[in-house]
Amino acid sequence: MIKMIASDMDGTLLTSHLSISEKNKEAVLAAQEQGIEFMVATGRAYTEAKPPLEEMGIHCGMITGNGAQAFDADGNVIFTIDIDKKTAKEVMAIFRENNLYFEIMTSQGVYSDNQPQRLENFATMLAENIPHITFKMAIAMASTHINMLPVIYTESYETLIENPEMDILKFITFSEDGQEVLQPIAEKISQLGEVHVTSSFPNNIEVNHRDAQKGVAVSRLAEERGIDLADVMAIGDNFNDVSMLEIAGVSFAMGNAEDGVKKIAKYIAETNVNDGVGKAIERAMSENL
């Protein structure tokens, strides 16, 4: 019997327009009414994840930064798993050697050192996920939606590293050439030993502490609540969701998920633009998965 549901956001709970559908909202609230704990498990920071949930009246806990932090439903931090500063400097050096733009998620917000590049990357993501729109249209949409993804602009990432009161939670970098360029870099970073490298879109890689994974976070929270992993349901679409799909008793890959992710999940849901999360939750509840 399902007692906890952990859902990814982008490409999963959210539509291609970065909102939560009415069907998904209704299913989440129905599960909560039956005593099932619902939480999001996202690569986003807390400030990026909260707005679409608030807009639809969903009050829930969050696993953010791919498992780097967890929050209760009232926004209190449950735990933080950060990257040590020495390793963070080594990761930055590798990105810079390869002339890659990157952003840093910290315990005090998400930072960027290049506003035009951030806008372009966001527009590229929208263009790849919304059929039939031009890149010009994607730029216009990105200009509107990027305000929903709070970021702090800095002239120097070094000031973040040197700040003793700031934890480094995650790096994310992008390449228009996708994994062909990014995978060799991911392999080099993985050799640092203290990190876990994954991806949430074909054009990015994300770097966390090796213990900051969605599956580790879901397992930890389930254990604290006395919930067996057999009674946990996980839903996701990309490779940063794999660790939680592997440990959950009931796992759904979205219809729009990467093929490698679909092979890991027990069930396949509808796509994120066709209420996949809502329908998966309804199925799990009605069939007592």
Side-chain angles (χ1 to χ4, degrees), residues 17 84 95 134 185 192 213 265:
H17 293 276
D84 72 81
F95 287 155
T134 65
I185 296 168
L192 298 177
Q213 300 183 47

Side-chain angles (χ1 to χ4, degrees), residues 254-269:
M254 300 299 291
N256 51 284
E258 295 290 329
D259 289 340
V261 178
K262 289 180 178 178
K263 292 178 181 178
I264 292 166
K266 294 182 175 70
Y267 306 98
I268 305 298

Side-chain angles (χ1 to χ4, degrees), residues 92-143:
M92 289 199 305
I94 292 171
F95 287 155
R96 286 170 171 162
E97 286 170 6
N98 290 275
N99 298 313
L100 291 173
Y101 165 78
F102 62 95
E103 298 171 8
I104 305 178
M105 182 184 296
T106 77
S107 56
Q108 297 180 26
V110 178
Y111 285 79
S112 168
D113 65 353
N114 189 324
Q115 187 172 11
Q117 187 64 59
R118 178 174 169 82
L119 178 63
E120 182 178 331
N121 288 337
F122 190 37
T124 299
M125 182 197 75
L126 291 174
E128 291 178 350
N129 286 274
I130 303 177
H132 313 306
I133 71 167
T134 65
F135 189 71
K136 184 177 181 179
M137 294 168 62
I139 287 286
M141 288 182 63
S143 299

Side-chain angles (χ1 to χ4, degrees), residues 11-13 235-238 252-262 265 267-277 279-280:
T12 303
L13 182 64
I235 317 170
D237 75 305
N238 224 306
F252 278 86
M254 300 299 291
N256 51 284
E258 295 290 329
D259 289 340
V261 178
K262 289 180 178 178
Y267 306 98
I268 305 298
E270 294 276 2
T271 65
N272 67 312
V273 297
N274 196 29
D275 305 317
V277 167
K279 292 175 180 177

Side-chain angles (χ1 to χ4, degrees), residues 135-256:
F135 189 71
K136 184 177 181 179
M137 294 168 62
I139 287 286
M141 288 182 63
S143 299
T144 300
H145 283 287
I146 204 164
N147 292 327
M148 298 169 57
L149 302 174
V151 67
I152 304 164
Y153 291 100
T154 180
E155 294 183 359
S156 171
Y157 283 145
E158 276 68 26
T159 60
L160 312 183
I161 303 297
E162 299 303 327
N163 185 344
E165 298 181 358
M166 184 176 290
D167 294 324
I168 305 301
L169 305 180
K170 187 183 84 167
F171 290 92
I172 181 168
T173 190
F174 310 84
S175 172
E176 292 181 2
D177 296 317
Q179 297 303 314
E180 181 178 352
V181 167
L182 293 173
Q183 272 306 305
I185 296 168
E187 291 170 7
K188 185 173 183 179
I189 292 173
S190 295
Q191 293 173 7
L192 298 177
E194 295 295 319
V195 297
H196 176 70
V197 186
T198 186
S199 174
S200 58
F201 284 97
N203 72 334
N204 75 27
I205 55 172
E206 303 180 5
V207 182
N208 288 86
H209 186 280
R210 63 184 177 188
D211 294 329
Q213 300 183 47
K214 293 184 182 184
V216 175
V218 170
S219 296
R220 178 172 174 173
L221 295 177
E223 182 178 2
E224 289 178 359
R225 289 153 174 73
I227 297 174
D228 193 286
L229 290 177
D231 298 323
V232 173
M233 173 178 173
I235 317 170
D237 75 305
N238 224 306
F239 292 103
N240 63 336
D241 301 315
V242 165
S243 62
M244 70 174 180
L245 295 176
E246 288 178 330
I247 59 94
V250 177
S251 56
F252 278 86
M254 300 299 291
N256 51 284

